[in-house]
Amino acid sequence: MNQQLTYAPADDGLWEQYDQLATRAYGHPIGDITHLREHAHLQVAVRSGQVVAGGLGLLVDQFFGGTPVPSACLGDGCVAPEERGDHLATDMATERLRPLIERGAVISAIVTSSTGYARRLGWEAPTSVFAWAVATDDLKRSFTGEDFDVVHGLTDEAEALQRDLARQWNGPVLRPTWWTRWKQNKSNLTTYCFARPGHPTAGLLSLTTKRHDRHGMSLVVHDFWAASQPTAEAMLAFLGRHNTRARTITFRRGALPPYPTLLHGLRHHRTTAEAWHPWMLRILNVPEAIRLRGWPTDLNTAVPMEIENETGGWDRWMLQIKAGAAEIVPTHVEAQVIFTRRQLAVWYAGGYRSTTSARMAGVHAVSEKALATLVRSTAQFEPWLPDHF
């Protein structure tokens, strides 16, 4: 490998080369490389005129604290098998982020099975991610929702509902106008809206079906957005009415929100959970990520912190929160709480639900009060990323 590597945004020819490389590296075609061509940035590494690595990047907003924050969402990355072992993936991550940072990204999210590699680069998982499965008969016996109307198809009102509900979690994507069409075409999704008669839309459900070889079908839920507990029960009751055709309802990884409707509603707790590789977050620009995030309006505080920087050193900062806004500035004041880069990402996403969970994750604090204040400042909303890229 004595020929020099060059990095570049992909033109038409390099797009085609990367498509072929990804098919070879993954062992099957990657449809998103075609589907996202108009919306994604593709950065590649080239050696002797041939693409040997690359990956897609989407510049979208993610909600944190109820406010959209510009994020570099990376996906569909690969390195040619004959190039592996020389840390090319690490250099490629830097090159993939560079143009998205220049366009305003201050955080970055990825979903990868290579969590060890991602952690070495500063990404961390704020929460566990599961795919849930429940017997359709159990849903049929446990939930009723006769007073809700079910309408097939996606409406403008339902899309507005999804955006409003997304603000109530840390992590969901503020979906661009092309996002829904991409997902519907990719996964052949069918969408249903739920509302009480004469009332606005209160629930949005999207799912896909696949026929079994002999009879019946499998059913997988991709979107489950409910404005209230009765709405969620009505949506689960609707899924239960598929019991004559589908033995099991599967909620695709991360599709089921982390609220306890199944736990409290099922007569028999026979759900199964399959752990998946989690979504991971990285803070690219600490001051801007803090400034752009939403914060509790009733919190007025200043906490001195020490945060690991990109080069492995440590910087002292003063975090100031007041009236729903925050800023973080350099300081010489001794820190009361110390975050690694990865711990900072978890805290930012509301992943520490208590001071106990923070300390068990390795967060060092000389002041329990300061740590409690920091946990409270980001724990107003729970971390959840139902969007896949």
Side-chain angles (χ1 to χ4, degrees):
M1 300 296 178
N2 53 7
Q3 295 293 322
Q4 186 175 0
L5 275 172
T6 59
Y7 300 94
D11 58 19
D12 288 344
L14 296 179
W15 269 94
E16 299 303 325
Q17 277 198 45
Y18 185 70
D19 197 356
Q20 297 169 12
L21 170 63
T23 299
R24 177 163 64 91
Y26 281 97
H28 57 82
I30 305 298
D32 285 343
I33 294 175
T34 299
H35 297 153
L36 291 176
R37 190 159 176 172
E38 295 181 11
H39 312 293
H41 181 91
L42 173 60
Q43 195 81 359
V44 295
V46 179
R47 192 193 301 276
S48 301
Q50 294 296 315
V51 173
V52 297
L56 301 183
L58 297 170
L59 181 61
V60 296
D61 289 339
Q62 288 182 265
F63 287 109
F64 288 93
T67 302
V69 179
S71 177
C73 295
L74 304 186
D76 296 326
C78 73
V79 175
E82 64 274 16
E83 293 275 350
R84 292 172 183 166
D86 290 330
H87 306 291
L88 178 52
T90 299
D91 296 336
M92 196 70 246
T94 300
E95 295 299 327
R96 292 170 67 187
L97 286 172
R98 191 187 313 280
L100 301 175
I101 292 173
E102 291 173 353
R103 292 169 55 192
V106 298
I107 60 175
S108 176
I110 59 172
V111 180
T112 177
S113 58
S114 303
T115 53
Y117 139 79
R119 286 189 172 100
R120 288 193 296 272
L121 298 181
W123 278 277
E124 187 55 281
T127 189
S128 300
V129 174
F130 298 96
W132 293 92
V134 59
T136 317
D137 282 339
D138 285 357
L139 294 180
K140 177 74 172 178
R141 287 192 293 264
S142 299
F143 295 99
T144 59
E146 292 82 0
D147 56 344
F148 276 79
D149 291 333
V150 183
V151 177
H152 169 244
L154 183 65
T155 65
D156 291 342
E157 186 178 73
E159 288 191 290
L161 171 72
Q162 187 275 329
R163 288 192 295 271
D164 289 341
L165 295 179
R167 292 179 182 273
Q168 300 173 23
W169 304 89
N170 289 329
V173 169
L174 174 56
R175 297 176 177 178
T177 55
W178 49 264
W179 188 279
T180 300
R181 184 175 66 255
W182 163 44
K183 289 298 183 180
Q184 287 180 334
N185 293 339
K186 176 180 178 179
S187 301
N188 192 28
L189 297 179
T190 303
T191 301
Y192 298 93
C193 301
F194 295 75
R196 294 187 186 276
H199 288 76
T201 300
L204 173 66
L205 179 73
S206 71
L207 52 86
T208 187
T209 60
K210 182 179 180 181
R211 288 186 58 84
H212 287 310
D213 291 338
R214 293 190 176 185
H215 60 83
M217 63 183 180
S218 59
L219 192 151
V220 180
V221 174
H222 283 238
D223 269 313
F224 193 97
W225 299 89
S228 65
Q229 184 262 348
T231 306
E233 291 203 349
M235 294 163 65
L236 292 170
F238 171 79
L239 293 171
R241 294 199 288 272
H242 290 76
N243 66 319
T244 59
R245 297 286 290 164
R247 293 180 59 186
T248 302
I249 305 295
T250 298
F251 295 88
R252 191 178 191 271
R253 57 186 185 273
L256 191 64
Y259 45 59
T261 304
L262 283 179
L263 177 65
H264 295 169
L266 284 177
R267 297 182 185 180
H268 304 289
H269 296 285
R270 298 186 292 185
T271 55
T272 59
E274 183 178 359
W276 289 85
H277 41 268
W279 64 281
M280 306 181 77
L281 185 70
R282 174 177 167 183
I283 309 301
L284 303 174
N285 183 325
V286 174
E288 282 299 285
I290 295 295
R291 184 182 70 84
L292 294 173
R293 192 191 191 282
W295 301 90
T297 56
D298 61 343
L299 188 60
N300 185 356
T301 189
V303 180
M305 306 168 63
E306 192 168 336
I307 301 173
E308 182 187 18
N309 60 37
E310 294 279 339
T311 61
W314 297 85
D315 300 319
R316 288 183 174 182
W317 299 89
M318 181 66 74
L319 173 68
Q320 298 173 308
I321 305 172
K322 184 178 180 180
E327 66 172 357
I328 191 167
V329 296
T331 185
H332 295 293
V333 178
E334 185 175 352
Q336 294 180 352
V337 179
I338 299 173
F339 281 147
T340 66
R341 295 166 61 197
R342 290 158 44 197
Q343 291 166 348
L344 177 71
V346 175
W347 166 75
Y348 188 90
Y352 299 133
R353 310 306 296 170
S354 66
T355 57
T356 302
S357 67
R359 288 189 180 278
M360 288 300 293
V363 173
H364 177 70
V366 297
S367 166
E368 188 72 14
K369 180 180 179 181
L371 181 57
T373 299
L374 286 179
V375 168
R376 179 192 170 199
S377 69
T378 60
Q380 179 180 7
F381 300 122
E382 292 185 64
W384 179 43
L385 179 54
D387 306 290
H388 299 275
F389 43 84

